[in-house]
Each structure stands twice: as structure tokens, then as C-alpha cells.
């Protein structure tokens, strides 16, 4: 096993380190969600935390880490006799994004359960993580069925395994830590609320800080053991401080004044529910204990709010996380300071500068602004010094990276054809009707189209292709029954062999690739009209987020079409690109359809099981053939029929307005083999029959093509 990167050697990342240490002091805080770009020491800091946790006492031989002083009465390995326990290091268990349900909760040996009547249970990751850390890297990409299991375990402190009438229950109380890159998609709201704290991390833009990150990274790679040894003293100090803070925690007094500050802050920021109040109270108490105080001060409440509230204020995935610090100070200033009483000498405040470290030379040559690192891209300073906030990305969007949502959109060459109008804001989003892809797919779990999945209603049985996960009991008995005499059955039990087992086939819902093709030409440029169009697309994006889809955005205007956003799970990035979309120029509708065809072809090679849904937002006018040349209308018809012939399910959102309507969007929908719906008809309360129309899109597209060809 390789030597882990020391926690105290992570540069900067003050909030990240503090949030992790507060959970080490008080696991009741409820875990940490770390959001940030790649290469910012997220995983490094989390994996290094386990070395700072105190050892845990366990019952010898118990696979479920029962405490000797209070063993779980329902432990599958119990009952346990009272006696001395053994100490072991706290575990950090990683949950892979692609893990199976059985790997997470454990598995029963179905064959032995049926043939021998015994509960042969193999514990899963939830049992391993009991009284330790459960770490999920890229937690936003976790499948829904695993999220459901995590939510249940986090809420009840126990894991339940049910297989055909056989039940196993065991304790599962763990510190949940997740890391994610928001560009790859947002987290499901129910799981987001289960994280006690959240922190945003970003790499420093200061050259001197980045130099130190690289220096320590290279030093660690050259000699991991030697590098860790140089930081062992700081590791021991922080470990001792965690133990001392845990011992002091029960003595910390959370006064009425502090409780009023917490309640006023949560009410002032209109946070839903009461979990935020409870988490803030626990966090403020842990902050006081970490500082060596027995009273919670206003500064503790303020820091607790900055860690516990940002992710609970989001009303939809397009809201930027964060907290208005001026408003926070205004709320807290209504309350007088409360001085600590009879406090011992406080520990150094987490915000003070650290002493020079052991890695040779001045340990913080850059000054106070240091940045995170380690094997993910950084190195560091002792966290007991805390360090100040990391340097933030440039506030000016013009300085942002070209591929970030904040970057100003530069007009491409094809947009020079016609005057460009400034981007307009989208109307308020609304609830849309369900759009789905016809047929039965086999894509990733989601909430849009019918599919064969590991979860859902049982529709039949088949021989298992791999490990048996969902037993179809009736089919298994039916397969074994004719062979009982030949197998020499003498008692009442059924003789079951492995080739008798049958796997249940289930039907649920899958997530799709929703590709938006948006007309941004001059015919769409009326300010009120484009605001309504953007509001409709924004509503569909919100629906795609809720249904766990991937989304992409193709726009066309001027002389050609462009892929404004490659297919991604980050619908908020798509919304940001849509918000900055300008309009103007001619209408190369065929170019938009051909660009969509190219995108879908490439995505089909990358992920053949994810079926696409094409949403074309246009008034149907085609005034330019783009770079291809020829008659625009004829080229548009041929492009639409090409998509229809390949079975791409399509919906046309008709944006034509005014008393005189040409019906061009309806003709385009007929060529695509899908329905056309107006902007008003897209709303959930007025879109009758659209689901039925979409589901018949593939079957009707061939007849449309044949009829028009004749």
C-alpha cells in the first residue's frame, strides 16, 4: 500500500480542511460535500483525513464494528458477550460510482438460503464504513438507486437487506464525505441536504502559490515515505488536537443568544426545514471546541452559517450556491456579543498563520495566500494554522477560461452574417409536460423513458447472465420442480441447483440525451419573443435535470450552426450558455439539423445505450443553406428526413407568433416524424396528448418518408 499524502501538507484550502476537521471533532455535524474544479486536492484531503481520526474500539471478530461498551443487539454476528475490545484505526471506505447495490448493502447467498435455509450474508460497504468515513468521489454521478440506499442508511443509521423474505439488519452510522465537479452535473436535492457542510474549492491563480504546489507534489512523488516522515510531527499535533476537542465538546455551552443567532440566520435566508438550524448548532459547538473554548461565540455562528447554509438555499439547479455575507453580518449584528465564561486557554485560532513546516526552507514563502495540493495537484501547510481563504477566480468574466460558463461568448465567423442583437434574459421557467422516447431502452437509470433496468416492476424472468441480484422465486421453483425425483429428494425441502436460478427482469425508467437545437437567427430576435423561447428551453432543461438526463445545445444563426455545449450532465452550464445566447442574421435551419445529426452520431459511438431525444426550437423558417449551398427549404427537408430515417425521436417547439402563421414548424415536425407544439402548449397544464405523439414518432416517421417520396 502506498504512503498517503499527509493531511497537514495540503496547501491552503482553509474551508475544506476546517470542514473536514470539524466533522472529525463532531461526526454529528453530518459530513462534507466538496465542490470544485479538477486538480484542487479534494480527494487528497479527504483520503488523508482518516489518519487523523482517533482509533475505535470494536468487538473482536465482529464484521460490523460493534462497540464493546454498547454492541448492537441486532448485529448479524451477535449476540456479543461483554468483555474487552480491540482497537483499530478508523476506516475510510470508498464507494465507486459504478458499484452495484449488493456491493453497497451486502448480499445474501440466495442458493444457500433456498437449499439450506441459512442466512449466509456477506457485508457490504455500509457495514465496512460503520463508525468511520464513507467517501464518494464524483458523488453527483452516483446512480439513483444507490442514492436511495444512502439516504435510507443516513436517515436511520442502519442498513436493511431484503431478499425474498430473508431479512438482515445492521448498524450503519458513518461520516458521509463527497466530492464533485459541478461542470459534470448537479447533485440530487435530497442527497444534497444530507451533507451537513459544503465547501467550494478552486485552484489559486497566484504563480508563487502554484509553484509551491508543484514543488511539494514532486517532493512527495520522489520519496513518499520521506515526505510523510517530515510531516509526521504536524500530523501528531493535529491528531492530538482532534482528541482534545472531542473531549472538550460535551462541555461546550450553546447559550440562548447563540441559538437565537442561529434561528435568525436560517429564517433570514429562508432556509427550508429545521435541519439547517440543527447542523449550524452542531457546527458552531464543534468550532468552539476546536478553538479550545467552552462557549459558542458570534464568530462561531458566522463561520457555521458559511459552511452549512449555501447548499440549502438553492431553489433549483440554476441558482448559484453561496451566501450573501453582508446580509449575514447584518443579521448577526442585531445580537450582542457573548463573552466566554471560565474558558481554558484557547488553542490557536484556525485562521492564524502556521509556523514554518518541516519540508525545508521557508514553509510558506508565498505569504498568507496558500493553495491546496497533493496527489490531486497540490501540497501544503499544517491545518492547525488554518491559513486564509484561497485566491478566488477572477471576478471579471472576460478573464475567465474560455470553456467556463462565465466566459463571454465570442461571436464566431458564421455570425457575421447579419446584425447581432444583445442577449436577453429568459422568462421564468415553468413545469413542462413529459417528453419521452418511444420503445423500450436499456440506458442508465433515470426518470424519462421506459427501459429495462435493475429496478422497477417485475415483467418476467431469465437465466442470470452474471451474479444473481434479483431472484424470481416463482420461476426458480418452476425450473427446479420437474427434477426433484431425479435429484433424490426425500424430505419436504426443495432441491435447488445453480442452473435452476432465475433472474427477475424489471422495467423502470432511463435517462436520455436531450439535444436542443435552438434557432438564434434574426427571425427570432424580437426581444419579448426570444425571452419566451429561452424561458421554454430553460423549463425543459430543469425537467432534464430532474429526470437525470444528459443535455446538449446546438444553435444556428448567420451562415452556420455551432455546438454551443457538448452533451453533458451539467444542465446549469447549459442554462448559462443559453442565457448569453445572442440573436441575429439569417436562418440556416438545415445546418442546425445536420450539426445535430453529427453530434448524435458521435454520442452513439460513446454511449450506444443512451437514446436521444431531439428538441428543435424554431419558427420553421429557412433562409440560408449555410456552407452546403442549394435551396434552403429542400436541404432542410432532406436533413429532417435523414434524422427520421435513423429513428431519432424528435419534438418541434413552434415559436411562430402573430396573426398570420405559415405553419413551417408543423411541416418540419412532419419531416422529422414527431409532434409540433407551441410555446404555450409546452406547459404541463395545456399539453394534451404530447406523450402519445412522441411515443409514436418513430413508427410514423417511416410512413411520412415513404409518402413524401411517392
Amino acid at each position: 500500500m502506498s504512503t498517503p499524502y499527509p493531511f497537514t501538507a495540503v496547501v491552503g484550502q482553509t474551508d475544506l480542511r476546517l470542514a473536514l476537521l470539524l466533522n472529525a471533532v463532531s461526526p454529528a455535524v453530518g459530513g462534507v460535500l466538496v465542490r470544485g474544479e479538477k486538480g484542487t486536492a479534494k480527494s487528497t484531503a479527504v483520503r488523508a483525513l482518516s489518519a487523523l481520526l482517533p482509533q475505535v474500539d470494536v468487538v473482536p471478530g465482529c464484521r460490523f464494528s460493534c462497540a464493546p461498551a454498547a454492541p448492537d443487539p441486532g448485529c448479524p454476528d451477535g449476540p456479543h458477550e461483554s468483555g474487552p475490545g480491540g482497537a483499530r484505526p478508523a476506516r475510510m471506505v470508498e464507494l465507486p460510482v459504478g458499484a452495484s447495490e449488493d456491493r453497497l448493502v451486502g448480499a445474501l447467498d440466495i442458493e444457500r438460503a433456498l437449499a439450506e435455509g441459512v442466512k449466509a450474508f456477506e457485508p457490504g460497504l455500509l457495514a465496512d464504513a460503520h463508525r468511520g468515513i464513507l467517501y464518494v468521489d464524483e458523488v453527483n454521478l452516483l446512480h439513483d438507486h444507490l442514492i436511495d440506499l444512502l439516504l435510507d442508511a443516513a436517515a436511520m443509521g442502519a442498513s436493511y437487506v431484503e431478499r425474498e423474505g430473508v431479512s438482515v439488519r445492521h448498524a450503519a452510522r458513518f461520516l458521509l464525505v463527497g466530492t464533485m465537479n459541478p461542470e459534470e452535473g448537479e447533485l440530487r436535492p435530497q442527497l444534497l441536504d444530507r451533507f451537513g457542510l459544503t465547501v467550494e474549492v478552486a485552484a489559486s491563480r497566484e504563480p508563487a502559490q502554484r509553484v509551491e504546489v508543484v514543488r511539494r507534489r514532486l517532493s512527495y512523488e520522489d520519496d513518499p515515505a520521506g515526505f510523510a516522515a517530515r510531516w509526521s510531527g504536524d500530523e501528531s499535533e493535529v491528531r492530538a488536537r482532534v482528541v482534545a476537542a472531542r473531549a472538550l465538546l460535551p462541555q461546550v455551552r450553546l447559550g440562548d443568544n447563540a441559538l437565537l443567532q442561529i434561528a435568525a440566520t436560517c429564517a433570514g435566508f429562508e432556509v427550508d426545514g429545521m435541519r439547517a438550524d440543527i447542523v449550524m448548532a452542531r457546527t458552531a459547538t464543534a468550532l468552539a471546541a476546536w478553538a479550545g473554548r467552552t462557549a459558542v461565540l458570534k464568530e462561531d455562528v458566522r463561520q457555521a452559517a458559511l459552511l452549512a447554509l449555501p447548499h440549502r438555499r438553492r431553489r433549483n439547479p440554476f441558482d448559484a450556491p453561496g451566501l450573501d455575507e453582508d446580509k449575514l453580518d447584518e443579521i448577526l449584528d442585531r445580537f450582542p456579543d457573548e463573552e466566554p465564561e471560565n474558558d481554558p486557554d484557547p488553542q490557536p485560532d484556525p485562521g492564524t498563520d502556521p509556523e514554518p513546516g518541516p519540508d525545508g526552507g521557508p514553509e510558506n514563502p508565498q505569504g498568507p495566500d496558500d493553495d491546496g495540493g497533493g496527489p490531486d495537484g497540490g501540497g501544503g501547510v499544517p491545518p492547525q494554522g488554518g491559513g486564509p481563504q484561497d485566491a478566488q477566480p477572477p471576478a471579471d468574466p472576460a478573464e475567465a477560461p474560455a470553456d467556463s460558463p462565465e466566459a463571454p461568448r465570442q461571436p464566431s465567423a458564421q455570425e457575421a452574417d447579419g446584425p447581432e442583437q444583445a442577449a436577453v434574459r429568459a422568462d421564468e421557467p415553468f413545469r413542462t409536460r413529459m417528453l419521452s422516447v418511444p420503445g423500450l431502452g436499456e440506458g442508465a437509470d433515470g426518470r424519462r423513458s421506459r427501459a429495462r433496468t435493475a429496478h422497477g416492476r417485475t415483467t418476467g424472468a431469465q437465466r442470470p447472465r452474471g451474479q444473481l441480484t434479483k431472484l424470481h422465486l416463482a420461476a426458480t421453483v418452476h425450473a427446479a420442480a420437474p427434477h426433484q425425483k431425479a435429484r433424490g429428494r426425500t424430505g419436504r425441502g426443495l432441491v435447488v441447483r445453480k442452473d435452476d436460478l432465475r433472474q427477475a427482469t424489471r422495467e423502470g425508467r432511463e435517462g436520455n440525451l436531450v439535444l436542443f437545437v435552438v434557432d438564434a437567427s434574426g427571425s427570432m430576435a424580437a426581444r419579448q419573443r426570444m425571452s419566451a423561447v429561452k424561458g421554454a428551453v430553460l423549463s425543459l432543461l430543469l425537467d432534464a435535470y430532474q429526470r437525470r438526463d444528459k443535455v446538449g445545445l446546438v444553435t444556428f444563426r448567420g451562415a452556420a450552426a455551432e455546438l454551443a455545449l457538448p452533451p453533458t450532465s451539467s444542465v446549469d452550464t447549459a442554462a448559462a450558455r443559453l442565457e448569453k445566447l445572442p440573436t441575429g442574421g439569417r436562418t440556416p435551419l438545415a445546418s442546425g439539423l445536420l450539426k445535430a445529426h453529427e453530434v448524435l452520431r458521435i454520442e452513439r459511438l460513446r454511449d450506444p445505450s443512451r437514446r436521444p431525444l431531439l428538441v428543435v426550437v424554431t419558427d420553421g423558417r429557412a433562409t440560408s443553406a449555410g456552407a452546403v449551398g442549394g435551396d434552403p427549404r429542400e436541404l432542410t427537408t432532406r436533413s429532417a428526413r435523414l434524422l427520421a430515417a435513423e429513428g431519432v425521436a424528435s419534438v418541434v417547439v413552434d415559436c411562430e407568433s402573430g396573426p398570420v402563421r405559415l405553419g413551417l414548424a408543423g411541416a418540419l415536425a412532419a419531416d422529422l416524424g414527431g409532434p409540433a407544439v407551441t410555446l404555450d402548449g409546452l406547459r404541463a397544464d395545456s399539453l394534451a396528448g404530447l406523450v402519445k405523439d412522441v411515443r409514436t414518432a418513430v413508427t410514423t416517421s417511416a410512413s411520412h418518408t415513404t409518402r413524401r417520396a411517392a
Side-chain angles (χ1 to χ4, degrees):
M1 180 177 178
S2 60
T3 303
Y5 196 91
F7 185 89
T8 52
V10 174
V11 180
Q13 306 295 22
T14 308
D15 287 345
L16 169 58
R17 293 183 295 156
L18 181 60
L20 292 172
L21 289 170
L22 291 177
N23 276 273
V25 171
S26 176
V29 167
V32 186
L33 174 65
V34 187
R35 297 164 44 94
E37 58 196 21
K38 52 187 176 292
T40 49
K42 300 188 299 291
S43 300
T44 297
V46 173
R47 292 189 175 102
L49 177 66
S50 59
L52 302 180
L53 298 180
Q55 291 190 329
V56 294
D57 292 329
V58 296
V59 173
C62 178
R63 298 174 297 167
F64 302 89
S65 302
C66 283
D72 181 9
C75 177
D77 285 354
H80 300 300
E81 298 181 358
S82 60
R88 64 160 176 78
R91 292 174 180 159
M92 193 201 70
V93 178
E94 292 196 43
L95 171 60
V97 170
S100 66
E101 179 180 330
D102 287 343
R103 183 70 187 101
L104 178 61
V105 301
L108 290 170
D109 190 329
I110 302 296
E111 187 174 359
R112 289 188 63 193
L114 287 175
E116 304 175 27
V118 298
K119 293 182 180 179
F121 180 69
E122 183 66 27
L125 296 177
L126 289 180
D128 294 340
H130 179 48
R131 304 176 67 198
I133 302 172
L134 182 63
Y135 171 48
V136 189
D137 192 15
E138 306 296 347
V139 64
N140 51 323
L141 303 182
L142 201 63
H143 289 298
D144 277 355
H145 67 283
L146 298 181
I147 289 179
D148 293 336
L149 293 171
L150 277 181
L151 289 172
D152 291 341
M156 298 183 294
S159 175
Y160 292 84
V161 184
E162 304 283 348
R163 291 292 188 275
E164 309 300 338
V166 182
S167 300
V168 173
R169 172 211 167 274
H170 65 82
R173 291 181 293 275
F174 48 83
L175 175 62
L176 182 61
V177 180
T179 55
M180 60 174 283
N181 184 346
E183 293 180 357
E184 297 173 345
E186 283 297 336
L187 194 61
R188 180 173 162 181
Q190 292 91 333
L191 184 57
L192 183 65
D193 190 52
R194 284 293 174 183
F195 287 97
L197 310 179
T198 184
V199 293
E200 298 277 340
V201 296
S204 172
R205 300 298 188 259
E206 292 294 329
Q209 298 173 21
R210 300 174 74 94
V211 165
E212 185 64 18
V213 167
V214 175
R215 179 184 293 118
R216 299 204 180 170
R217 166 63 175 168
L218 296 178
S219 178
Y220 170 78
E221 286 188 343
D222 290 342
D223 183 9
F227 184 85
R230 291 194 292 274
W231 291 93
S232 59
D234 297 277
E235 293 279 293
S236 299
E237 290 179 12
V238 175
R239 192 179 300 112
R241 187 174 174 187
V242 170
V243 173
R246 279 193 175 190
L248 183 63
L249 188 64
Q251 305 173 35
V252 176
R253 179 175 59 86
L254 185 65
D256 291 342
N257 191 54
L259 284 173
L260 284 173
Q261 293 171 7
I262 292 171
T265 301
C266 292
F269 283 103
E270 301 180 352
V271 177
D272 294 334
M274 295 298 299
R275 182 174 285 122
D277 302 64
I278 297 171
V279 171
M280 272 191 66
R282 290 170 174 166
T283 304
T285 303
L287 279 162
W290 178 248
R293 290 185 269 101
T294 58
V296 174
L297 305 182
K298 185 187 296 184
E299 64 194 63
D300 300 322
V301 175
R302 186 182 192 279
Q303 182 65 61
L306 293 175
L307 293 173
L309 295 188
H311 62 299
R312 292 187 166 89
R313 295 191 61 247
R314 305 188 75 186
R315 294 296 184 264
N316 63 63
F318 309 135
D319 293 337
L323 209 63
D324 186 342
E325 296 192 34
D326 291 337
K327 181 178 179 180
L328 175 60
D329 291 333
E330 180 183 343
I331 294 173
L332 294 179
D333 285 343
R334 302 172 191 167
F335 300 88
D337 292 326
E338 184 172 339
E339 296 298 332
E341 299 178 5
N342 301 323
D343 269 357
D345 292 336
Q347 296 287 337
D349 186 83
T352 60
D353 291 332
E355 296 296 328
D359 198 28
E363 198 52 27
N364 194 13
Q366 310 88 323
D369 292 326
D370 216 347
D371 191 73
D376 286 308
V381 294
Q384 61 268 35
Q389 297 289 345
D390 298 325
Q392 297 298 318
D396 184 0
E399 298 177 12
D403 59 347
S404 71
E406 293 77 16
R409 184 176 176 276
Q410 299 297 328
S412 57
Q414 61 264 30
E415 293 174 347
D417 185 10
E420 178 178 301
Q421 298 190 21
V424 298
R425 295 188 61 85
D427 286 350
E428 286 297 317
F430 51 84
R431 187 170 65 89
T432 66
R433 276 295 184 92
M434 170 84 146
L435 307 178
S436 63
V437 178
L440 193 64
E442 295 182 349
D445 287 348
R447 293 187 177 86
R448 184 171 297 279
S449 304
R450 294 173 55 233
R452 298 183 184 92
T453 62
H455 304 83
R457 62 185 182 90
T458 301
T459 58
Q462 64 182 13
R463 291 181 182 272
R465 299 175 181 175
Q467 182 183 6
L468 178 67
T469 56
K470 298 288 184 181
L471 177 73
H472 195 295
L473 183 58
T476 299
V477 172
H478 187 270
H483 309 291
Q484 296 305 295
K485 184 176 181 180
R487 294 173 183 175
R489 191 185 89 174
T490 57
R492 298 180 61 185
L494 188 69
V495 181
V496 179
R497 294 181 179 172
K498 188 172 183 178
D499 56 357
D500 297 326
L501 299 178
R502 295 295 183 268
Q503 174 87 21
T505 57
R506 297 173 181 260
E507 182 178 311
R509 293 280 174 177
E510 67 177 0
N512 298 110
L513 167 59
V514 182
L515 182 61
F516 294 92
V517 181
V518 180
D519 186 346
S521 64
S523 63
M524 302 281 287
R527 179 170 296 272
Q528 185 175 0
R529 183 180 179 189
M530 197 60 194
S531 294
V533 169
K534 286 187 176 182
V537 178
L538 195 64
S539 304
L540 291 168
L541 284 170
L542 181 58
D543 181 71
Y545 164 76
Q546 295 168 341
R547 300 190 187 281
R548 308 291 286 177
D549 295 316
K550 291 180 69 175
V551 296
L553 178 63
V554 171
T555 64
F556 58 93
R557 59 179 294 269
E562 65 175 342
L563 180 60
L565 180 71
T568 176
S569 297
S570 181
V571 295
D572 53 341
T573 302
R577 300 287 171 88
L578 177 71
E579 191 72 21
K580 296 177 173 63
L581 179 66
T583 57
R586 303 179 70 184
T587 311
L589 178 54
S591 297
L593 298 177
L594 291 175
K595 174 62 74 172
H597 179 269
E598 178 187 352
V599 172
L600 295 180
R601 179 184 63 80
I602 295 173
E603 287 301 309
R604 194 178 298 117
L605 296 175
R606 292 175 176 170
D607 188 358
S609 64
R610 188 179 289 269
R611 298 185 296 162
L613 174 63
L614 186 67
V615 180
V616 184
V617 185
T618 182
D619 57 8
R621 289 181 173 86
T623 61
S624 170
V628 180
D631 179 71
R633 287 303 314 163
E634 180 182 352
L635 187 58
T636 298
T637 299
R638 288 166 51 194
S639 302
R641 291 178 181 177
L642 174 64
L643 288 163
E646 296 187 358
V648 176
S650 305
V651 176
V652 176
V653 179
D654 185 357
C655 302
E656 192 173 24
S657 60
V660 179
R661 295 175 180 266
L662 302 179
L664 298 177
L668 174 64
D671 289 328
L672 287 168
V677 56
T678 64
L679 289 174
D680 290 337
L682 193 60
R683 297 178 180 272
D685 54 0
S686 61
L687 190 56
L690 182 60
V691 175
K692 179 180 178 181
D693 290 340
V694 177
R695 287 182 174 174
T696 59
V698 169
T699 57
T700 58
S701 61
S703 61
H704 279 301
T705 303
T706 303
R707 190 162 53 249
R708 287 178 176 272

